[in-house]
Amino acid sequence: MVTIKDVAKLAGVSIATVSRTLAEPHKVSEKTRDKVMEAVASSGYVTNTLARNFRRRRSNTVVVLVPDIANPFFANIIQGIERVASRSQYRILLGDTQGNESSEHAYAELVSQRQADGVICLGRNIPFPYRKGRKTLDPDWPPFAMACEYHGEIPVPTVCIDNVAAAAEAINHLIELGHRDIAFINGPADSPLCDDRMLGFRQAMQAAQLPVNSRWLKSGDFTLASGYRCMEELLTLSRRPTALFCANDEMAIGAMQACRDAELSLPEDMSVVGFDDIAFAAYSHPRLTTVNQPRNRIGEQVMKMMLAMLAGENPTESRLVLPHELVVRESTCAV
């Protein structure tokens, strides 16, 4: 049977270094970690994970709460989380909560039961009981971080983009094409990031001295069906917009289908901009102009943030803002 001593000799490091790498890989350098893991793989060494975790009172599992696992936006974020987690010998447990607070609390309870070590939330809710109006983190909470969404009051460690600036850039693109009559299909009204996208929309319109028509403001729920429904409502108006901005790509794709069913030409009769740059955006008809979020990087960074907290470190900043990019395709054109 291969022992930890054999692994240390093969990697050219001490037994203590091998032990530290296997137990807390985030505490060793990437070069050392790679040498040790290569020696483990080539020697066939198998750790007694159950016994080790029992001694350390760790599960090496992180719960990832997803508001809707059917939404393709989350897939790349989860891949990024998984990539960093696996390098550090961590597993992720996905919880498809559908935004249900009881479900979120049940998954978060796994930490107190020592079946998980921390929680990453991709939705807007905090999965722990807390007093309304609280402005600070509760010291009794386990390691907890958010990605994409953030909490409007409590400074939870978060990885996201600047949604205000991203929405404003999307609207400025339409304005530069000559559009003045611009509609907006936003997401859920209780989402801070949707508030930010609305703010960016209004700021860009105000800066261009363009009025915001309240009849052209609709609220969906990030689904294809809601985008289709909201576009149908816009098309019944006597005065229609010439361009549409949607708070996510699924609603934009649904809206474009409603335009096609109404025998409108895209983008000649209606320019459409989405948000997220999901894989389908590049294959829709026409291909969708949208705001790209670096979803893989968001996943990687939030997992690195989680690993730092699990090592007893405090995040250097409560909100890590990553760059976005406006991707211009064929769904927008000049008036």
Side-chain angles (χ1 to χ4, degrees), residues 163-164 167-168 184 186 194-204:
N163 286 280
V164 177
F184 180 29
N186 204 358
C194 289
D195 290 343
D196 284 353
R197 292 174 193 176
M198 175 62 81
L199 178 59
F201 168 78
R202 290 186 180 278
Q203 285 181 351

Side-chain angles (χ1 to χ4, degrees), residues 2-15 17-23 32-49 52 89:
V2 179
T3 67
I4 193 170
K5 184 177 179 180
D6 299 322
V7 174
K9 184 177 180 181
L10 189 59
V13 298
S14 68
I15 294 175
T17 298
V18 175
S19 180
R20 187 180 307 111
T21 302
L22 296 176
T32 299
R33 184 169 63 240
D34 289 345
K35 282 199 305 182
V36 171
M37 297 315 296
E38 184 177 340
V40 168
S42 62
S43 67
Y45 176 70
V46 178
T47 60
N48 188 336
T49 304
R52 186 191 69 199
Q89 304 296 299

Side-chain angles (χ1 to χ4, degrees), residues 77-318:
I77 297 177
I78 294 168
Q79 284 179 333
I81 293 172
E82 172 67 36
R83 186 177 301 114
V84 172
S86 63
R87 285 204 302 259
S88 296
Q89 304 296 299
Y90 265 83
R91 301 163 298 178
I92 63 171
L93 173 63
L94 289 180
D96 181 19
T97 67
Q98 296 297 305
N100 181 282
E101 291 191 29
S102 295
S103 178
E104 291 167 346
H105 282 261
Y107 275 108
E109 188 65 21
L110 294 175
V111 179
S112 63
Q113 297 169 2
R114 297 202 177 114
Q115 297 181 57
D117 302 327
V119 179
I120 294 173
C121 191
L122 306 188
R124 59 187 176 275
N125 296 328
I126 289 181
F128 312 108
Y130 69 96
R131 176 175 49 81
K132 297 295 183 183
R134 186 181 183 93
K135 303 292 184 182
T136 59
L137 292 172
D138 190 323
D140 292 331
W141 288 351
F144 173 52
M146 302 179 81
C148 300
E149 292 270 8
Y150 65 92
H151 198 272
E153 297 179 343
I154 302 175
V156 176
T158 303
V159 181
C160 60
I161 65 167
D162 186 336
N163 286 280
V164 177
E169 188 173 346
I171 300 306
N172 286 332
H173 168 67
L174 292 171
I175 293 171
E176 289 166 4
L177 291 173
H179 293 280
R180 298 296 178 263
D181 299 332
I182 304 172
F184 180 29
I185 300 178
N186 204 358
D190 59 349
S191 166
L193 73 78
C194 289
D195 290 343
D196 284 353
R197 292 174 193 176
M198 175 62 81
L199 178 59
F201 168 78
R202 290 186 180 278
Q203 285 181 351
M205 295 291 282
Q206 183 178 15
Q209 297 184 325
L210 296 176
V212 173
N213 187 332
S214 60
R215 300 189 72 191
W216 294 345
L217 302 180
K218 300 292 181 181
S219 291
D221 59 7
F222 288 146
T223 62
L224 292 162
S226 70
Y228 188 99
R229 170 182 52 78
C230 289
M231 189 73 244
E232 278 189 317
E233 294 172 2
L234 290 169
L235 295 178
T236 64
L237 300 176
S238 57
R239 183 181 170 213
R240 296 175 176 174
T242 63
L244 171 68
F245 172 51
C246 293
N248 83 331
D249 289 343
E250 285 204 57
M251 291 193 298
I253 292 169
M256 289 197 296
Q257 184 59 51
C259 289
R260 284 191 291 269
D261 288 349
E263 299 185 348
L264 297 183
S265 295
L266 297 170
E268 293 79 12
D269 295 327
M270 185 72 66
S271 284
V272 180
V273 179
F275 205 107
D276 292 337
D277 198 21
I278 62 174
F280 297 125
Y283 296 93
S284 62
H285 180 68
R287 297 194 307 158
L288 182 62
T289 295
T290 185
V291 174
N292 175 272
Q293 293 201 63
R295 298 185 303 282
N296 262 292
R297 279 196 64 201
I298 289 172
E300 291 172 350
Q301 291 300 322
V302 76
M303 188 63 207
K304 288 178 180 178
M305 191 178 278
M306 174 58 62
L307 289 172
M309 287 188 284
L310 290 170
E313 302 171 17
N314 290 320
T316 55
E317 50 190 325
S318 64

